[in-house]
């Protein structure tokens, strides 16, 4: 599954309690050589590690252990679900005794640590963080023949086929039903009003999509007249990141459309990073600033964070206190090599958490905060993470 298919409803379903253990596996993959032999070796190592944990975990019921051991925890089962045509730098795998396996392919340039984790539900923090790292956005293509909506992440677009999209126009006049221009035909008086009614319907559908996708930045594509008409009547003008001329984009495939929109998306990202840095500076003078992992962790636990800003390659390890409000960081441990750990490598101490960044991001999103990943080095004075507080 592609990260562009991730929705709040999907995340809620993944978080539903399941028979213990619901297995979450995370691994890096080479985006330039989709699921190469090196990736397959690592996957076999992760499955071996999961089998070891399964055999040693006394809390696993016998029938669940057998269902996982004898079929689900197989590298071949996982490999069959990987689409080699989807460029990805990370795989997130979900396995349980009662459901088919899920494999999410995530585009990322960040360092990915291999992980195997057991819980009573799938751990979605890796997907939530990966989605934010991929800079998700929406693209609305306005056209009198058909208006379409796309959801973008990284360099990929997926057409949204819900919330009323794609939206065909109503045909109010026989002249509109004739394809192509009609020689010597004069525009009938109500034509512009019919177009506006059509665009109001599109805007209503867009509102439902924006709510479902947490108000992502919107890039609107259209011809001069229909674009101007839409911008005059939309209720979501503040969410429009940029506009682009149609120039044939209504016929583009999602892949070609993503390439044509890419420069505008990159420019918008640069603006967002600059704006975030300015906002952090302003928040210092207003006593609404938190900097460093420990301060930010507590602020998120207290639901005081308005915007979380994290460097893309940041890794944090630490332990938390009993009520989960205080974080104590430690040097990030050397990862366990798979499939055969080094003999002299000590495993992390019990209670040590190495996915602090993912937990920060997921907890921030759940509390309603905005999340922005920025290039490494942007937050050097705050150890790679900072936040603007609500109060």
């Amino acid at each position: 599954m592609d990260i562009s298919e991730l929705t709040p409803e999907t995340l809620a379903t993944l978080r539903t309690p399941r028979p213990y253990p619901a297995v979450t596996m995370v691994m890096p993959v080479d985006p330039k050589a989709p699921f190469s032999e090196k990736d397959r070796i690592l996957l076999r190592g992760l499955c071996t590690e999961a089998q070891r944990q399964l055999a040693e975990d006394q809390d696993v019921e016998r029938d669940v252990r057998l269902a996982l051991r004898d079929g689900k925890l197989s590298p071949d089962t996982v490999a069959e679900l990987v689409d080699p045509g989807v460029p990805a730098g990370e795989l997130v795998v979900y396995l349980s005794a009662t459901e088919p396996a899920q494999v999410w392919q995530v585009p990322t340039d960040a360092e990915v640590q291999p992980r195997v984790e057991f819980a009573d539900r799938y751990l979605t923090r890796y997907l939530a963080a990966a989605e934010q790292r991929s800079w998700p956005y929406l693209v609305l293509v306005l056209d009198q023949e058909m208006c379409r909506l796309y959801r973008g992440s990284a360099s990929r677009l997926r057409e949204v086929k819900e919330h009323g999209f794609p939206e065909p126009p109503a045909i109010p006049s026989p002249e509109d039903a004739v394809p192509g221009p009609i020689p010597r035909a004069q525009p009938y008086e109500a034509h512009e009003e019919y177009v506006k009614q059509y665009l109001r319907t599109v805007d209503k559908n867009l509102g439902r999509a924006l709510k479902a996708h947490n108000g992502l930045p919107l890039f609107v594509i259209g011809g001069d007249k229909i674009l101007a008409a839409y911008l005059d009547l939309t209720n979501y003008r503040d969410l429009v990141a940029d506009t682009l001329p149609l120039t044939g984009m209504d016929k583009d495939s999602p892949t070609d459309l993503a390439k044509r929109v890419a420069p505008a998306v990159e420019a918008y990202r640069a603006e967002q990073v600059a704006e975030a840095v300015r906002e952090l500076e302003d928040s210092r003078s207003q006593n609404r600033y938190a900097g460093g992992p420990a301060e930010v962790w507590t602020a998120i636990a207290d639901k005081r964070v308005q915007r979380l800003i994290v460097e893309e390659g940041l890794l944090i390890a630490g332990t938390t206190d009993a009520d989960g409000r205080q974080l104590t960081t430690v040097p990030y441990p050397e990862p366990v090599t798979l499939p055969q750990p080094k003999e002299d490598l000590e495993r992390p101490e019990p209670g040590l958490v190495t996915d602090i960044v993912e937990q920060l991001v997921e907890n921030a999103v759940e509390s309603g905060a905005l999340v922005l990943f920025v290039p490494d080095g942007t937050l050097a004075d705050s150890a790679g993470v900072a936040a603007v507080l609500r109060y």
Side-chain angles (χ1 to χ4, degrees):
M1 303 179 75
D2 192 296
I3 192 67
S4 64
E5 301 175 52
L6 189 65
T7 64
E9 291 77 14
T10 304
L11 283 171
T13 300
L14 290 171
R15 292 169 182 150
T16 303
R18 289 167 166 81
Y20 181 86
V23 182
T24 301
M25 298 195 300
V26 182
M27 61 173 283
V29 291
D30 186 352
K32 297 180 181 179
F35 220 54
S36 62
E37 184 60 27
K38 178 182 177 182
D39 296 336
R40 293 176 183 273
I41 291 173
L42 178 55
L43 175 60
R44 286 197 294 271
L46 281 173
C47 289
T48 299
E49 172 64 15
Q51 292 274 17
R52 182 193 65 78
Q53 292 186 30
L54 186 68
E56 296 177 357
D57 194 330
Q58 300 300 313
D59 293 330
V60 180
E61 296 183 1
R62 182 176 181 276
D63 57 341
V64 173
R65 178 182 286 108
L66 292 176
L68 286 170
R69 187 195 68 185
D70 297 339
K72 298 297 181 69
L73 278 174
S74 162
D76 293 334
T77 300
V78 176
E80 288 176 358
L81 299 176
V82 176
D83 183 352
V86 176
E90 176 180 4
L91 290 187
V92 180
V93 181
Y94 294 126
L95 300 165
S96 78
T98 58
E99 300 174 49
Q102 292 189 38
V103 176
W104 289 83
Q105 296 174 248
V106 181
T108 182
D109 294 325
E111 183 178 355
V112 178
Q113 299 293 335
R115 303 178 189 277
V116 176
E117 301 197 51
F118 287 7
D120 63 353
R121 64 200 67 202
Y122 293 143
L123 301 183
T124 57
R125 50 183 174 260
Y126 303 111
L127 283 183
E131 182 190 31
Q132 297 301 320
R133 277 194 177 98
S134 70
W135 288 77
Y137 58 93
L138 295 174
V139 176
L140 175 64
V141 179
L142 299 174
D143 185 74
Q144 293 189 47
E145 295 181 5
M146 183 73 75
C147 288
R148 299 183 182 275
L149 184 68
Y150 298 85
R151 189 183 190 281
S153 59
S155 58
R156 293 177 58 82
L157 284 178
R158 176 184 65 86
E159 185 172 0
V160 175
K161 294 187 177 180
E162 53 189 349
H163 313 299
F165 288 100
E167 175 65 38
I171 303 297
S173 164
E175 290 185 356
D176 286 337
V178 179
I182 302 175
R184 296 181 297 280
Q186 297 296 322
Y188 54 92
E189 293 181 1
H191 177 73
E192 290 187 2
E193 183 56 35
Y194 280 123
V195 171
K196 289 181 180 179
Q197 289 179 11
Y198 174 43
L199 293 179
R200 290 189 187 99
T201 301
V202 171
D203 199 55
K204 183 178 179 180
N205 294 343
L206 177 65
R208 294 198 294 268
L210 287 168
K211 183 178 180 180
H213 292 276
N214 292 328
L216 296 178
L218 177 68
F219 295 83
V220 184
I221 299 170
D224 291 344
K225 290 184 178 180
I226 195 170
L227 189 57
Y230 178 75
L231 294 177
D232 282 343
L233 61 81
T234 179
N235 293 312
Y236 308 103
R237 186 69 177 86
D238 291 344
L239 291 176
V240 175
D242 203 354
T243 60
L244 296 90
L246 188 63
T247 60
M249 289 192 196
D250 56 322
K251 308 299 182 185
D252 279 350
S253 67
T255 300
D256 292 335
L257 184 61
K259 292 177 181 177
R260 297 180 67 173
V261 174
V265 174
E266 290 298 328
Y268 176 76
R269 290 176 180 175
E271 292 174 2
Q272 288 294 291
V273 171
E275 178 185 330
V277 172
R278 289 193 297 269
E279 190 175 3
L280 280 175
E281 291 302 319
D282 292 342
S283 69
R284 290 176 187 266
S285 61
Q286 300 166 0
N287 292 322
R288 295 172 51 232
Y289 172 87
E295 279 189 26
V296 172
W297 178 275
T298 300
I300 289 177
D302 293 341
K303 295 181 169 52
R304 295 177 57 207
V305 172
Q306 177 177 310
R307 170 176 269 189
L308 173 67
I309 303 164
V310 189
E311 289 187 355
E312 292 171 344
L314 183 63
L315 296 171
I316 303 174
T319 58
T320 58
D321 63 357
D323 63 4
R325 289 189 65 254
Q326 302 296 324
L327 171 70
T328 302
T329 59
V330 300
Y332 201 88
E334 183 181 353
V336 175
T337 57
L338 294 170
Q340 295 184 357
K342 299 175 183 177
E343 294 182 359
D344 60 345
L345 182 64
E346 296 183 4
R347 291 185 177 273
E349 62 184 76
L352 178 64
V353 180
T354 59
D355 61 352
I356 295 296
V357 170
E358 287 80 5
Q359 292 193 42
L360 283 171
V361 171
E362 182 170 56
N363 293 341
V365 171
E366 289 183 350
S367 69
L370 300 174
V371 178
L372 182 69
F373 278 89
V374 298
D376 291 346
T378 305
L379 306 174
D381 61 343
S382 58
V385 58
V388 177
L389 305 181
R390 294 189 173 104
Y391 56 88

